[in-house]
Amino acid sequence: MPLSTITMTQKNPDQYLVYGNPIEQSRSPDIHHIFATKSQQTINYQKQFVDLDGFSTAVSYFISQGGKGANVTAPFKEEALRLSDVLTDRASLAGAVNTLTFKNGKIYGDNTDGEGLVQDLLMNGVTLKQSRILILGAGGAVRGVLLPILAQSPKSITIANRTVSKAQDLCKHFDDKRLNACSFNETSESAFDLIINATSASLSGDLPPIPESIITNTIVCYDMVYGKNETPFLQWAKAQGANKIIDGLGMLVGQAAVSFSVWRNVTPDVQPVIDFLRIAIKEG
Ligand code: NDP
């Protein structure tokens, strides 16, 4: 019996949703039901497809039905920010909300993506303090993770992007001396301890064109994308002799864990869920 069915049969569980368009691919209900089961919590968590112009109506209806909270995925994260009455700093700076809490007649907006990434890196034994970090990409995901990474006291964060002006805009927006922007080519001019691929290149089987010379035998390479097989970036990094490669499955589970703890005040154990999903993904 799927875990979602088990929790559905419990009496009057607290209700949560994830909104998206598309939403069929979302693993969030499984993730949250495992967190709940493992921490003896009773919740019901469903996924909901929302028409592009129907997000605020869907949220209002859910609140009227007693919904406790919701995750938000593409393309509604910016609209969720606008809908929130109260924002955390990390959501406000990210310009996007992935976690809504409905409490005392108010909508609270948070963004747990960056914390999910940081927790996954730390869990994998990656040192962030005083490290020299290269981030590839300058889209919404990077915007969401910069504040939590900066909070870990790295020495520097270089943002390299195909469209360099977007990387420069991010540096201006976050206004922190440790941030700098460059093109993929220019990355050869510095040394790094950690590379985070936050481009969507892996989704189309592409590699961000960075020079081989920046891969050393001490470097850690992380790809926010995950899948059945190693991503093109991680395969390439391994072939160049990277010390360690990590995919984004732990980030996905990590951001869900932070949402769960925001709602339930319980920090769930992420490892059993990562293990479960790793097998589920392999089995397709
Ligand atoms: P955006 O669409 O906002 O940004 C995409 C970024 O990828 C841009 O910087 C874009 O460059 C770059 N890019 C796209 N294609 C290529 C290419 N072929 N070569 C080089 N650069 C490329 O996406 P997000 O920031 O929201 O997401 C980025 C990735 O992170 C996605 O693949 C997403 O699935 C993943 N992700 C994973 C999460 C997890 O929990 N594991 C959470 C969030 C995101 P340009 O600006 O020049 O167009």
Side-chain angles (χ1 to χ4, degrees):
M1 187 189 291
L3 281 158
S4 54
T5 315
I6 296 168
T7 46
M8 278 292 285
T9 57
Q10 291 169 337
K11 217 175 169 190
N12 297 328
D14 288 344
Q15 306 287 326
Y16 299 90
L17 284 177
V18 56
Y19 293 110
N21 180 340
I23 196 61
E24 203 40 55
Q25 78 294 347
S26 174
R27 306 262 180 186
S28 292
D30 282 338
I31 295 173
H32 282 274
H33 283 136
I34 300 173
F35 287 158
T37 304
K38 296 266 180 198
S39 58
Q40 282 91 47
Q41 300 272 308
T42 304
I43 69 162
N44 177 26
Y45 188 118
Q46 301 294 324
K47 48 185 158 189
Q48 187 168 329
F49 176 89
V50 180
D51 287 333
L52 293 179
D53 60 354
F55 180 68
S56 65
T57 309
V59 171
S60 300
Y61 179 74
F62 188 47
I63 294 172
S64 76
Q65 297 302 299
K68 298 286 185 199
N71 284 128
V72 183
T73 188
F76 301 117
K77 287 184 181 183
E78 286 80 14
E79 200 174 343
L81 178 100
R82 292 193 291 275
L83 213 59
S84 300
D85 300 305
V86 183
L87 288 171
T88 57
D89 285 350
R90 59 192 181 193
S92 176
L93 260 176
V97 157
N98 77 337
T99 304
L100 294 170
T101 306
F102 312 126
K103 210 169 51 183
N104 308 327
K106 284 203 161 79
I107 300 178
Y108 293 80
D110 199 351
N111 188 317
T112 64
D113 283 334
E115 205 53 48
L117 171 66
V118 165
Q119 288 190 10
D120 192 41
L121 286 165
L122 297 177
M123 219 176 75
N124 277 284
V126 179
T127 305
L128 296 173
K129 198 172 177 178
Q130 283 305 305
S131 65
R132 298 158 301 175
I133 301 173
L134 170 62
I135 298 184
L136 308 173
V142 177
R143 215 177 150 99
V145 301
L146 279 177
L147 192 63
I149 297 180
L150 282 166
Q152 295 295 315
S153 307
K155 189 169 185 182
S156 61
I157 301 179
T158 301
I159 306 171
N161 196 40
R162 187 172 60 181
T163 312
V164 181
S165 60
K166 286 196 199 165
Q168 289 165 337
D169 288 348
L170 274 183
C171 292
K172 273 193 209 125
H173 179 72
F174 280 84
D175 190 25
D176 188 297
K177 283 195 180 69
R178 293 166 293 176
L179 290 177
N180 60 86
C182 71
S183 66
F184 288 134
N185 267 339
E186 288 166 325
T187 56
S188 61
E189 292 166 19
S190 310
F192 301 102
D193 305 300
L194 168 66
I195 304 178
I196 299 169
N197 182 19
T199 71
S200 41
S202 289
L203 293 178
S204 48
D206 292 331
L207 259 181
I210 53 169
E212 291 168 14
S213 58
I214 61 172
I215 305 295
T216 62
N217 61 4
T218 57
I219 205 160
V220 176
C221 291
Y222 191 102
D223 198 332
M224 285 194 188
V225 172
Y226 58 87
K228 201 169 185 165
N229 302 308
E230 272 169 10
T231 67
F233 171 67
L234 295 183
Q235 284 176 26
W236 174 82
K238 189 156 90 176
Q240 308 313 314
N243 177 34
K244 190 168 188 157
I245 56 168
I246 309 164
D247 74 7
L249 184 62
M251 176 180 176
L252 172 79
V253 178
Q255 60 78 26
V258 182
S259 296
F260 190 86
S261 65
V262 165
W263 292 330
R264 311 296 302 179
N265 215 13
V266 170
T267 303
D269 187 4
V270 292
Q271 198 56 55
V273 184
I274 294 173
D275 296 343
F276 166 83
L277 286 182
R278 186 73 69 195
I279 293 167
I281 289 167
K282 280 254 180 293
E283 288 171 352

